[in-house]
Amino acid sequence: MASNRTFTMIKPDAVAANNIGPILSMITEAGFKVVAMKYTKLSHEQAGNFYDVHRDRPFFGELVEFMSRGPIVAAILEKDNAIEDFRKLIGATNPAQAEEGTIRKRFATSIGENAVHGSDSDDNAKIEGDFFFSQLERF
Ligand code: CMP
């Protein structure tokens, strides 16, 4: 069965560039409903824990520095086929390979500083949503 929830972050690069508004517009215009949302900042340790699966990758240090550099917007989103449709909306990890009309094509500047995160599976959407939100913060 296709999933109906995903998790996203608007990353520090996009927040610093004042792009929260246009990114949220693209998300809601694509039919995603906001279930939970938070403006917050990750510590170095929290960013490392969030991206624990990438701990052995060569870019891990750079990723943690970047993700703890400034505030982010975290959200749980709902829509039929949420995981796949949201990954289509954000585009490829590397903005150079992202299709026209995607969020990363419009707002990302590099493979590291790529404006938004989107969960890659139902299991990870649950783990990532639970990282930021209690049950009382979901509507
Ligand atoms: P995201 O979809 O949030 O999941 C893992 C993140 O690691 C990815 O987006 C990028 O921000 C980052 N990342 C992936 N590959 C690289 C890379 N080759 N160099 C630097 N950062 C990367």
Side-chain angles (χ1 to χ4, degrees), residues 8 10 14 19-34 37 77-79 85-91 98-108 114-116:
T8 187
I10 301 176
N19 287 327
I20 295 174
I23 290 173
L24 287 179
S25 285
M26 286 179 76
I27 291 171
T28 53
E29 276 162 24
F32 290 88
K33 172 182 171 273
V34 175
M37 180 167 279
L77 304 171
E78 193 168 79
K79 181 184 184 291
D85 286 2
F86 193 70
R87 286 176 75 80
K88 266 187 212 145
L89 176 66
I90 66 179
E99 283 183 38
E100 284 300 334
T102 61
I103 293 175
R104 283 174 171 155
K105 180 72 180 182
R106 199 167 151 198
F107 298 109
N114 61 0
V116 282

Side-chain angles (χ1 to χ4, degrees), residues 8 12 20 25 30 33 41 46 50 57 59 76 102 104 106 109 112 121-122 134-135:
T8 187
I20 295 174
S25 285
K33 172 182 171 273
K41 183 174 180 296
Q46 288 166 332
F50 183 87
R57 303 280 193 97
F59 57 81
I76 297 173
T102 61
R104 283 174 171 155
R106 199 167 151 198
T109 51
S121 66
D122 288 345
S134 76
Q135 290 305 322

Side-chain angles (χ1 to χ4, degrees):
M1 200 186 87
S3 70
N4 68 349
R5 284 195 179 182
T6 189
F7 170 81
T8 187
M9 284 185 286
I10 301 176
K11 297 185 179 186
D13 57 332
V15 172
N18 219 12
N19 287 327
I20 295 174
I23 290 173
L24 287 179
S25 285
M26 286 179 76
I27 291 171
T28 53
E29 276 162 24
F32 290 88
K33 172 182 171 273
V34 175
V35 172
M37 180 167 279
K38 188 173 282 188
Y39 184 59
T40 186
K41 183 174 180 296
L42 292 169
S43 68
H44 201 267
E45 188 185 359
Q46 288 166 332
N49 289 338
F50 183 87
Y51 280 113
D52 197 48
V53 292
H54 297 303
R55 205 167 282 276
D56 296 331
R57 303 280 193 97
F59 57 81
F60 181 73
E62 188 186 320
L63 176 61
V64 167
E65 282 299 317
F66 164 58
M67 287 304 298
S68 57
R69 187 172 82 192
I72 57 139
V73 175
I76 297 173
L77 304 171
E78 193 168 79
K79 181 184 184 291
D80 286 348
N81 205 33
I83 298 282
E84 198 183 321
D85 286 2
F86 193 70
R87 286 176 75 80
K88 266 187 212 145
L89 176 66
I90 66 179
T93 305
N94 184 348
Q97 288 155 12
E99 283 183 38
E100 284 300 334
T102 61
I103 293 175
R104 283 174 171 155
K105 180 72 180 182
R106 199 167 151 198
F107 298 109
T109 51
S110 69
I111 191 168
E113 304 205 1
N114 61 0
V116 282
H117 169 81
S119 304
D120 63 4
S121 66
D122 288 345
D123 286 352
N124 283 337
K126 178 169 177 4
I127 291 166
E128 293 169 0
D130 289 348
F131 186 95
F132 282 93
F133 298 103
S134 76
Q135 290 305 322
L136 293 173
E137 295 172 307
R138 302 168 193 218
F139 305 96

